[in-house]
Amino acid sequence: MLDVFMIFSKSGLVLFKYELATLKGDPVDALIRTVLLENRSTTDTVFKVGSYAIKWKLVNKYGIVCVAVYQSSLALTYVDDLLENVATAFPRAFKDDIADATGPLDFGTKFDTLLFEAEENSRRSNRQNRAKKPAAVKTSGQTPENDNTDDNDTGDEADDDEFAQFRSTRRGGPRGYQGRKSGSRSPKSGGKGSGNATKAKRAWNEKEDMTEEERIALDVTGSNGASADEVEAAYLRKAKVYLPDEEGEMADLDKEAAEEDGNDDDDDDGGWNFGSSAVGNFFQRLTGQKPLTREDLSLPIETMQKQLQAQNVSAVAAREICEAVMQDLEGQKLGSMTRGVSTAVRESCEKALQRLLAPKRSIDVLREARAAKAEGRPYTIVFIGVNGVGKSTSLSKVCYYLKNNGLKVMLCACDTFRSGAIEQLKVHSKNLGVPVFEAGYNKDAASVAVNGIKQAKDTGMDVVLIDTAGRMQNNEPLMRSLTKLVAKTKPDLCVQVVEALAGNDATDQLVHFDKALKDFSETTVPRTIDGMIMTKFDTIGDKVGGAISLVHATGQPIIFVGTGQKYTNINKLNAKKIVRVLLQ
Amino acid sequence: METLRGAVPDALQTPLASAEAAVARQLGVSDDAALAILIAATLLAIVLATWAVTGGNSSGSAAGGRKRTGDAVVLLGNSGSGKTSLFYKLLTRHFAKMSRLADKCPECVTSMEIQEKRFPLVGANVDTPRRVIDFPGHARLRTQLPEVIVQARCLVFLVDAAAVKPKDIREISSLLYDVFVEIIRSGCEPRMLIVCNKCEASGAIAPEDLRKKLEKEIDGLKTTRHSIDTEGDDEMEIALGTEGVPFEFDSDAGCEVEFCSASVLEGGAKLDPVLDFIADAFPATSA
């Protein structure tokens, strides 16, 4: 069963809420914070948090989001259809109210119909899959409204005034719109299309004995005070499900629907509406009043994508950033004569990149370490990464930085594998004047780390920096042991060290390490990477796109960049400069 | 059409003719139609330009240089502090007054976009509609802070008074620090009210205690923020206050800061401090 269905605006107002069960915690806020605000919605379609699964649909044109929350143990097949239907029905009903809404809108009646219908459809197709017995249709588990909503399209009740009105409106644009919609949707899934056809047939066969109930259904919706629009739309939705495609009728209605659709965007032009003639288009383009279409945008966005990729932004990241830009600009108006499409694309891209680079969590390591000190516990950082990227060097730089700011730092040599690793760390410890904890080679790295932290606590250290053995991201046994180390030490910060020079390979390393920490973890909330250190940043010149790919891959920030051999060559990432270089 | 042409001054005849020919070529219409189009386009351009100058953004704070503040009420704060609720509370008060219904506090979720509306603020003794901007608390949107600060006449900074664990205080002061730096950088002087919202909740912090906690935390930030250089940075980083002297809101914030305790949810008298503050920010003479 669906737990909660919500429609809210991007500015945060809940426009509609259907609540069957009270949610534990705040799964919807979690969705917004970790998925929607991260611009990462293109890859996943289901978001799981706790015992909930959430599906959502953005309606960018009206700036609203539809969200369905249900128990993830249930496989609700109708959620996708329901979201799709609500996402079209809600804006249709409240097109003019959404922007000025100050509270929930009255969508309840219609939603109930849509929900019931979606459930009924999935039940029906389930039944069809099990056994093809038409007689079974009206047997089990049906709620009272069930009968009402069934077969609303028989249309033999023309004597009922209300009904006649509905019928006549239905013959107008909206139905054509629906017809077009279903027509364009069916190629997406062939299986669904054929299912619809059989369903429709059954509906026609059953219609004779349903007229009385159907009339009652209409009376009910009418007397409930639902607007004609609302009822009509609900009605049409049914028509979509039950009616077979009648080619001739649909064809000319399509035209009307297309026109209506096309004009939608122009409604609020404020008097300068020239219609869609060639001259009108020319003026609108000239004055920047014409809403941008995908076609207008595709060329400049393609150019932008190429430019990003030329600067080493990975293909996936570049594509997703450009898709975000497309979504941002589509349907917008330039609003001035001087502002070209490419400028708009550039500005939107700049915003997207800045947002991507903005750390979503504090990367002030010194401050976090001081806070831990105030709590009377050592602050721990684990450095992970493949061989030779500069883990020990970065560790020594961080050590220098923290020590210089008055913290007592201890190093912990957990690279018990590579010969000479401990000695290398000892050299650093001598240079920096900090103690190092070691237990020799061939020991279990996780227990060395745990003992190290314990000793640090006993000796009153403020920070423990844990060095780990380098490993290739595809070496499963080694990745398992790393997961164990991270799980046992519970570090405050788990940083992956990557090389700026490695380009897109660095992204690959990061993704695999992150995935390994998730996959091999034995706890329900796996400890994953909190941030990155990008080494050898001084060697890449203008090819700074790698930073974007890295941040895009996990959404975690780049905490430091290494810019040379000296202990002092450690810096914060300059997001502004990177954006500037990328878009120059 | 020739009468139309005659109305144009002689000096403009040549460029007009060539532009006309160009339009005619482009659109494949006759010369006369092209002339009509040109004239219409010119008129349209004039109208739009006028609109852009008068109706467009009138904040004009940084650009003008004379005015040191914008004209908007800006709602700031971390996620979950009640900004969007306050926004709709203020908005519905307007409607509530008109329809004689009680104002309400609609249910909200985390905002994803900056929201801006212009409406009369009932209770803040002004009849003129004011711009109110709701700035989401999520860290990803913080890069847009500068553009909002320059528009602000006053800043209402909300704090969830019931969530003031050390970690929360760190996050609140991080945002406050960014805001203060931005205020100093922009040269604007908006006034700020820090609101201990949700004062009805148990364990809600008192404004004075919050002030002390925040001052201590921001003082810590003064040293940690600039403890490490930004790679290839050519801009001067702005530091708050004086080195070695503990941070104080009164002297180092870059703007006037007040504290109060309020409840957006309960409203009524518990919202008055916020309304009074906004009213003070818009003296009657400026309306």
Side-chain angles (χ1 to χ4, degrees):
Chain A
M1 229 21 218
L2 200 62
D3 279 10
V4 163
F5 193 100
M6 252 172 143
I7 303 173
F8 53 84
S9 68
K10 282 188 173 176
S11 53
L13 181 69
V14 176
L15 296 169
F16 169 73
K17 188 172 187 182
Y18 164 88
E19 201 171 18
L20 209 75
T22 316
L23 294 178
K24 281 194 212 89
D26 235 331
V28 175
D29 271 354
L31 170 82
I32 299 172
R33 279 173 213 190
T34 56
V35 182
L36 300 182
L37 271 163
E38 301 286 324
N39 273 349
R40 299 163 64 78
S41 51
T42 37
T43 43
D44 294 326
T45 52
V46 187
F47 173 68
K48 293 197 171 162
V49 54
S51 63
Y52 296 109
I54 307 182
K55 285 193 175 185
W56 68 94
K57 186 157 176 61
L58 290 151
V59 189
N60 274 316
K61 197 170 148 195
Y62 297 100
I64 59 170
V65 189
C66 306
V67 173
V69 187
Y70 54 98
Q71 296 286 337
S72 56
S73 51
L74 303 172
L76 293 190
T77 47
Y78 60 80
V79 173
D80 287 324
D81 280 347
L82 179 66
L83 278 170
E84 189 76 30
N85 290 345
V86 172
T88 23
F90 188 80
R92 275 183 81 78
F94 300 107
K95 196 159 84 185
D96 305 322
D97 304 330
I98 291 173
D100 296 323
T102 58
L105 297 168
D106 184 21
F107 188 61
T109 336
K110 180 121 142 265
F111 178 79
D112 288 344
T113 335
L114 290 176
L115 174 64
F116 172 74
E117 189 184 291
E119 283 175 344
E120 191 58 14
N121 274 346
S122 82
R123 218 174 290 161
R124 206 183 296 257
S125 60
N126 274 347
R127 235 176 280 138
Q128 248 168 17
N129 291 344
R130 264 184 272 125
K132 303 206 166 177
K133 275 186 281 175
V137 169
K138 306 211 66 61
T139 49
S140 65
Q142 294 180 350
T143 47
E145 322 105 283
N146 184 357
D147 293 348
N148 301 340
T149 36
D150 247 348
D151 301 6
N152 264 356
D153 62 306
T154 42
D156 292 340
E157 296 293 307
D159 53 327
D160 185 323
D161 275 351
E162 228 170 19
F163 186 47
Q165 192 199 331
F166 290 149
R167 268 185 70 79
S168 65
T169 41
R170 187 182 111 209
R171 292 226 180 271
R175 182 174 172 205
Y177 177 71
Q178 287 310 328
R180 195 177 58 95
K181 268 294 234 203
S182 66
S184 68
R185 207 181 301 153
S186 56
K188 245 194 280 171
S189 57
K192 196 177 135 202
S194 60
N196 274 349
T198 38
K199 264 178 244 158
K201 233 178 255 163
R202 181 181 302 135
W204 281 113
N205 292 340
E206 271 173 6
K207 67 178 180 183
E208 278 91 0
D209 54 335
M210 291 304 299
T211 47
E212 185 59 28
E213 283 157 323
E214 167 202 278
R215 204 167 51 77
I216 293 166
L218 285 164
D219 275 352
V220 166
T221 34
S223 61
N224 272 1
S227 71
D229 232 8
E230 208 174 318
V231 178
E232 174 204 47
Y235 188 82
L236 292 163
R237 221 149 287 281
K238 272 159 224 143
K240 185 189 84 192
V241 176
Y242 293 113
L243 278 177
D245 272 14
E246 290 161 63
E247 288 299 329
E249 193 188 321
M250 291 301 169
D252 54 8
L253 288 170
D254 271 1
K255 220 194 288 165
E256 222 177 301
E259 263 171 36
E260 182 192 88
D261 222 19
N263 286 342
D264 259 8
D265 290 330
D266 307 339
D267 285 348
D268 44 354
D269 268 357
W272 289 105
N273 195 337
F274 289 89
S276 50
S277 64
V279 179
N281 272 344
F282 172 75
F283 275 131
Q284 291 185 334
R285 194 156 294 157
L286 192 75
T287 55
Q289 289 299 301
K290 187 173 161 49
L292 293 168
T293 61
R294 270 191 118 76
E295 290 74 53
D296 297 335
L297 290 163
S298 63
L299 193 67
I301 285 185
E302 212 170 284
T303 320
M304 182 59 69
Q305 190 171 340
K306 281 193 190 127
Q307 189 184 341
L308 291 177
Q309 272 173 267
Q311 310 261 33
N312 260 354
V313 177
S314 71
V316 186
R319 199 171 53 235
E320 286 194 13
I321 290 164
C322 288
E323 183 54 37
V325 171
M326 177 74 91
Q327 286 186 1
D328 182 32
L329 292 179
E330 195 182 356
Q332 276 197 19
K333 292 162 193 162
L334 289 175
S336 105
M337 273 167 284
T338 48
R339 193 158 160 254
V341 180
S342 52
T343 323
V345 168
R346 212 188 119 96
E347 279 168 11
S348 168
C349 191
E350 188 177 332
K351 220 158 134 191
L353 290 173
Q354 266 172 0
R355 187 188 273 209
L356 193 64
L357 285 172
K360 63 176 175 187
R361 59 198 297 277
S362 164
I363 53 163
D364 195 337
V365 176
L366 178 60
R367 183 181 186 214
E368 299 291 318
R370 282 188 179 163
K373 184 185 177 183
E375 288 168 33
R377 61 181 180 89
Y379 186 78
T380 48
I381 309 179
V382 172
F383 292 77
I384 62 174
V386 305
N387 316 68
V389 289
K391 281 183 301 301
S392 304
T393 314
S394 302
L395 176 138
S396 61
K397 285 176 181 175
V398 173
C399 172
Y400 177 84
Y401 163 59
L402 293 176
K403 183 173 180 279
N404 262 12
N405 281 289
L407 292 170
K408 282 182 278 178
V409 187
M410 188 185 89
L411 310 183
C412 188
C414 293
D415 185 352
T416 57
F417 178 73
R418 181 174 63 90
S419 155
I422 298 180
E423 284 70 24
Q424 188 193 354
L425 212 58
K426 278 185 174 164
V427 171
H428 284 310
S429 95
K430 217 173 210 164
N431 289 343
L432 295 163
V434 296
V436 55
F437 180 86
E438 57 116 344
Y441 291 99
N442 270 334
K443 294 279 169 8
D444 174 35
S447 47
V448 175
V450 171
N451 289 336
I453 295 173
K454 190 166 172 292
Q455 180 171 332
K457 204 167 188 178
D458 294 344
T459 53
M461 290 291 165
D462 304 324
V463 181
V464 186
L465 304 179
I466 300 169
D467 188 28
T468 65
R471 59 203 79 204
M472 294 308 289
Q473 65 270 29
N474 48 12
N475 187 326
E476 198 187 311
L478 290 181
M479 292 310 289
R480 275 187 193 280
S481 86
L482 181 69
T483 311
K484 187 179 151 199
L485 185 144
V486 172
K488 284 207 168 175
T489 49
K490 296 192 188 75
D492 291 286
L493 202 62
C494 179
V495 266
Q496 170 137 17
V497 183
V498 289
E499 225 179 19
L501 278 172
N504 287 329
D505 195 36
T507 317
D508 187 56
Q509 292 167 12
L510 178 68
V511 169
H512 277 89
F513 267 75
D514 199 55
K515 192 169 180 297
L517 287 181
K518 258 180 219 150
D519 290 351
F520 300 144
S521 161
E522 283 157 8
T523 52
T524 45
V525 189
R527 190 76 171 83
T528 53
I529 292 156
D530 300 312
M532 291 78 79
I533 295 182
M534 209 173 177
T535 60
K536 308 175 194 182
F537 197 74
D538 50 326
T539 59
I540 51 165
D542 278 357
K543 302 276 181 198
V544 292
I548 299 285
S549 322
L550 275 184
V551 173
H552 176 267
T554 58
Q556 300 293 354
I558 293 172
I559 300 177
F560 296 120
V561 290
T563 50
Q565 285 301 313
K566 298 204 173 84
Y567 287 136
T568 48
N569 293 143
I570 180 170
N571 296 109
K572 279 193 284 198
L573 184 79
N574 189 341
K576 271 187 202 153
K577 185 180 146 196
I578 287 184
V579 175
R580 201 167 57 226
V581 169
L582 282 177
L583 295 178
Q584 70 189 332
Chain B
M1 271 306 160
E2 285 311 311
T3 48
L4 258 179
R5 196 181 296 270
V8 179
D10 281 352
L12 289 175
Q13 285 291 356
T14 330
L16 179 72
S18 60
E20 196 186 311
V23 172
R25 260 202 312 281
Q26 282 282 326
L27 294 175
V29 292
S30 72
D31 269 13
D32 281 350
L35 179 67
I37 290 171
L38 264 180
I39 291 172
T42 317
L43 287 176
L44 189 68
I46 292 167
V47 169
L48 281 175
T50 324
W51 172 82
V53 169
T54 55
N57 193 343
S58 55
S59 71
S61 54
R66 266 168 284 131
K67 258 172 131 185
R68 304 299 301 277
T69 57
D71 63 351
V73 179
V74 176
L75 310 181
L76 292 168
N78 294 76
S79 278
S81 56
K83 298 173 296 297
T84 310
S85 294
L86 176 59
F87 184 92
Y88 282 105
K89 190 87 178 180
L90 294 173
L91 182 57
T92 48
R93 278 176 73 86
H94 166 56
F95 293 117
K97 194 188 169 197
M98 294 199 306
S99 60
R100 298 185 175 282
L101 291 169
D103 53 4
K104 53 185 177 168
C105 204
E107 187 179 357
C108 299
V109 294
T110 308
S111 308
M112 298 159 67
E113 278 180 353
I114 297 176
Q115 167 156 252
E116 182 184 324
K117 274 199 167 85
R118 183 185 276 275
F119 53 86
L121 289 167
V122 177
N125 56 17
V126 219
D127 296 325
T128 346
R130 298 290 173 197
R131 283 199 306 144
V132 180
I133 300 174
D134 174 22
F135 187 80
H138 195 272
R140 286 274 188 220
L141 294 151
R142 207 149 300 170
T143 46
Q144 282 164 273
L145 197 54
E147 58 190 80
V148 170
I149 294 286
V150 294
Q151 299 178 48
R153 169 71 60 91
C154 62
L155 302 161
V156 178
F157 190 103
L158 290 121
V159 173
D160 182 347
V164 283
K165 290 195 280 293
K167 191 171 172 292
D168 302 316
I169 293 287
R170 286 209 293 280
E171 275 175 16
I172 296 164
S173 28
S174 261
L175 175 57
L176 263 180
Y177 191 95
D178 288 341
V179 172
F180 289 149
V181 165
E182 210 39 64
I183 288 174
I184 293 173
R185 193 200 310 278
S186 68
C188 296
E189 286 171 9
R191 300 166 61 187
M192 184 191 267
L193 177 72
I194 298 181
V195 183
C196 295
N197 187 24
K198 312 190 186 177
C199 68
E200 81 281 1
S202 66
I205 194 169
E208 248 340 277
D209 296 341
L210 180 72
R211 181 194 195 106
K212 277 182 203 132
K213 282 194 178 186
L214 288 178
E215 280 182 344
K216 186 159 170 263
E217 193 58 44
I218 293 176
D219 191 51
L221 271 176
K222 266 168 49 182
T223 53
T224 62
R225 273 294 172 98
H226 306 292
S227 58
I228 193 158
D229 291 337
T230 302
E231 187 267 332
D233 205 1
D234 35 18
E235 274 177 48
M236 268 289 288
E237 291 216 41
I238 293 170
L240 286 186
T242 330
E243 219 182 309
V245 183
F247 175 89
E248 275 177 39
F249 281 111
D250 289 340
S251 54
D252 304 329
C255 66
E256 227 176 280
V257 183
E258 293 165 43
F259 280 75
C260 81
S261 195
S263 170
V264 172
L265 190 69
E266 292 190 357
K270 286 187 174 164
L271 197 61
D272 285 347
V274 179
L275 295 171
D276 291 346
F277 168 79
I278 296 176
D280 279 355
F282 296 100
T285 48
S286 85

